[in-house]
């Protein structure tokens, strides 16, 4: 009897040991190792200040999809050659996929043709032929520009000139947006004057010439978020300039730009869901690396909003996403 009890106790001991091994170690059932996906995001600017919501989307995707994401800025904004060099460096340093906002599509296409970049590439806010890149996440910036120009013609007609303000920094998104704006304004027989920023005084001088020596009026479209923010600050700091600017318009989603829209300094704004753009760009990169079914092109909607739209729930959620 004692021998049976001893065998029984020994059996229970073995069972307990097995249960412990099953529940707390991987000696018997090995846990599946979590795959980490190294991805580099290369912007087209020297800082990420204009990409606040985009970065929030990238960070969320990195957590949810096990991506090790590096966010890379340029030493000099608008330098296509330097951007391609950064892409090659990230590839050499171990990135398995690249997410890129191209400075110049033609130079990037040449680099791809030369096979300087040989890992999967997801383009953001740009487009290249499908055989050149793995996936695209973008808004239709040409359509965005056309829509904005139509709104301006409806509100102001074509009797006063439209000033186009833009920085010297190139970007594919800005070029497509400008093409759309100019196409509609030219077809509407509107006078267009262009002002490329070459220093802090470029935009201020253009506005001052509406006041002195003879008074005149104009509508201003800022073609990139940086130019819009600078122009809004100039108008906000003056009691005279706003009397000669019938409206300030542009694109952007940063908090300072939205605050100027809320204050009435900016009259109309083109916005996109930058959080979703950031999230989906990382998602596409992970899908490629995990050999999952891939959606090659994702075109997100853009919206024209005015001050009153900022309080609408759908825009509040899009423009002020919670991380």
């Amino acid at each position: 009897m004692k021998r049976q009890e001893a065998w029984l106790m020994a059996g229970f001991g073995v069972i307990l040991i097995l249960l412990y091994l099953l529940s707390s170690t991987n000696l018997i059932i090995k846990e599946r190792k979590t795959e980490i996906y190294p991805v580099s995001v290369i912007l087209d600017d020297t800082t990420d200040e204009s990409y606040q919501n985009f970065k929030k989307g990238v960070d969320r995707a990195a957590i949810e999809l096990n991506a090790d994401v590096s966010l890379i800025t340029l030493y000099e904004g608008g330098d296509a050659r330097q951007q391609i060099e950064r892409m090659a460096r990230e590839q050499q340093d171990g990135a398995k996929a690249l997410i890129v906002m191209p400075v110049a599509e033609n130079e990037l296409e040449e680099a791809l043709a030369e096979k300087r970049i040989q890992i999967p590439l997801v383009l953001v806010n740009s487009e290249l032929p499908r055989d050149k890149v793995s996936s695209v996440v973008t808004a239709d910036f040409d359509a965005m520009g056309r829509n904005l120009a139509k709104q301006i013609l409806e509100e102001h007609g074509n009797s006063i000139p439209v000033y186009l303000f833009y920085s010297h920094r190139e970007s594919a998104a800005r070029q497509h947006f400008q093409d759309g704006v100019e196409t509609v304004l030219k077809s509407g027989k509107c006078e267009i004057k262009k002002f490329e920023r070459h220093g802090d005084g470029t935009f201020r001088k253009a506005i001052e010439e509406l006041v002195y020596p003879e008074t005149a009026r104009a509508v201003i479209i800022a073609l990139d978020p940086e130019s819009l923010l600078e122009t809004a600050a100039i108008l906000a700091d003056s009691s005279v300039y706003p009397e000669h600017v019938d409206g300030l318009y542009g694109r952007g989603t940063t908090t300072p730009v939205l605050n100027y829209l809320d204050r009435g300094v900016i009259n109309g704004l083109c916005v996109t869901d930058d959080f979703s753009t950031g999230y989906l760009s990382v998602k596409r990169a992970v899908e490629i690396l995990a050999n999952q079914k891939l959606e090659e092109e994702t075109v997100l909607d853009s919206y024209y909003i005015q001050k009153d739209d900022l309080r609408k729930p759908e825009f509040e959620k899009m423009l002020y996403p919670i991380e």
Side-chain angles (χ1 to χ4, degrees):
M1 189 71 178
K2 290 183 178 180
R3 181 176 295 180
Q4 288 180 337
E5 290 178 355
W7 280 108
L8 188 62
M9 292 298 295
F12 277 127
V14 170
I15 292 172
L16 289 173
I17 292 171
L18 288 172
L19 289 173
Y20 171 78
L21 291 172
L22 287 170
S23 62
S24 62
T25 75
N26 62 358
L27 294 176
I28 297 176
I29 300 177
K30 292 186 178 181
E31 295 181 3
R32 185 177 179 181
K33 185 179 180 181
T34 301
E35 187 75 28
I36 304 297
Y37 304 99
V39 177
S40 291
V41 181
I42 303 179
L43 303 178
D44 58 1
D45 203 353
T46 57
T47 71
D48 61 0
E49 292 178 1
S50 297
Y51 305 101
Q52 297 169 355
N53 291 347
F54 174 84
K55 188 173 181 295
K56 289 180 182 179
V58 167
D59 291 342
R60 175 72 64 82
I63 294 170
E64 294 183 1
L65 304 175
N66 299 322
D68 180 12
V69 178
S70 299
L71 192 70
I72 311 298
T73 57
L74 303 181
Y75 299 122
E76 184 176 349
D79 189 331
R81 182 174 299 179
Q82 182 194 125
Q83 186 180 55
I84 293 168
E85 289 174 355
R86 297 304 299 270
M87 292 170 64
R89 186 184 306 171
E90 290 303 305
Q91 175 181 257
Q92 184 178 358
D93 290 347
K96 300 302 181 184
L98 297 175
I99 298 169
V100 178
M101 290 183 178
V103 170
E105 292 169 323
N106 58 338
E107 295 195 36
L108 176 56
E109 190 168 4
E110 289 178 7
L112 295 175
E114 295 169 358
K115 300 189 182 303
R116 295 174 60 186
I117 307 301
Q118 299 183 345
I119 58 177
L121 174 61
V122 177
L123 286 192
V124 178
N125 295 341
S126 178
E127 286 195 51
L128 284 179
R130 292 283 75 76
D131 61 334
K132 302 292 184 183
V133 298
S134 303
S135 186
V136 169
V137 180
T138 186
D140 189 337
F141 285 92
D142 186 275
M144 181 195 295
R146 293 197 306 270
N147 182 42
L148 177 61
K150 288 176 183 176
Q151 296 286 344
I152 290 171
L153 287 175
E154 288 178 7
E155 293 178 28
H156 303 281
N158 62 0
S159 60
I160 59 175
V162 175
Y163 286 10
L164 302 183
F165 285 3
Y166 55 96
S167 70
H168 71 282
R169 184 178 65 82
E170 293 291 333
S171 80
R174 195 266 284 173
Q175 188 58 59
H176 288 303
F177 181 66
Q178 182 175 351
D179 291 343
V181 167
E182 291 194 42
T183 296
V184 172
L185 292 181
K186 288 176 181 177
S187 66
K189 302 188 184 326
C190 190
E191 181 184 357
I192 301 172
K193 294 185 178 182
K194 302 179 186 180
F195 298 86
E196 181 179 4
R197 185 184 188 276
H198 291 290
D200 293 339
T202 302
F203 300 153
R204 183 179 296 275
K205 182 180 178 182
I207 296 172
E208 283 180 351
E209 289 176 352
L210 294 171
V211 183
Y212 312 107
E214 298 180 3
T215 60
R217 293 161 46 231
V219 170
I220 299 175
I221 302 176
L223 299 176
D224 53 80
E226 298 81 8
S227 297
L228 179 61
L229 186 60
E230 180 180 337
T231 306
I234 292 171
L235 294 178
D237 289 342
S238 172
S239 60
V240 177
Y241 294 162
E243 296 177 6
H244 299 269
V245 176
D246 280 19
L248 173 61
Y249 302 84
R251 63 182 180 92
T253 57
T254 63
T255 299
V257 165
L258 296 174
N259 287 341
Y260 278 124
L261 179 66
D262 195 29
R263 291 169 54 185
V265 178
I266 296 173
N267 300 75
L269 192 61
C270 292
V271 297
T272 55
D273 186 350
D274 291 348
F275 180 92
S276 293
T277 300
Y279 187 94
L280 290 173
S281 64
V282 175
K283 187 173 188 290
R284 297 293 175 259
V286 170
E287 288 172 347
I288 297 166
L289 298 177
N291 295 316
Q292 298 175 5
K293 184 179 179 181
L294 176 66
E295 188 171 336
E296 293 184 350
E297 183 176 45
T298 304
V299 181
L300 300 174
D301 292 331
S302 62
Y303 307 89
Y304 173 77
I305 65 171
Q306 296 176 307
K307 177 180 178 179
D308 294 342
D309 296 314
L310 289 172
R311 302 293 179 264
K312 295 180 179 179
E314 61 268 30
F315 290 119
E316 276 192 323
K317 183 178 180 181
M318 184 181 78
L319 297 172
Y320 303 99
I322 299 174
E323 293 186 68

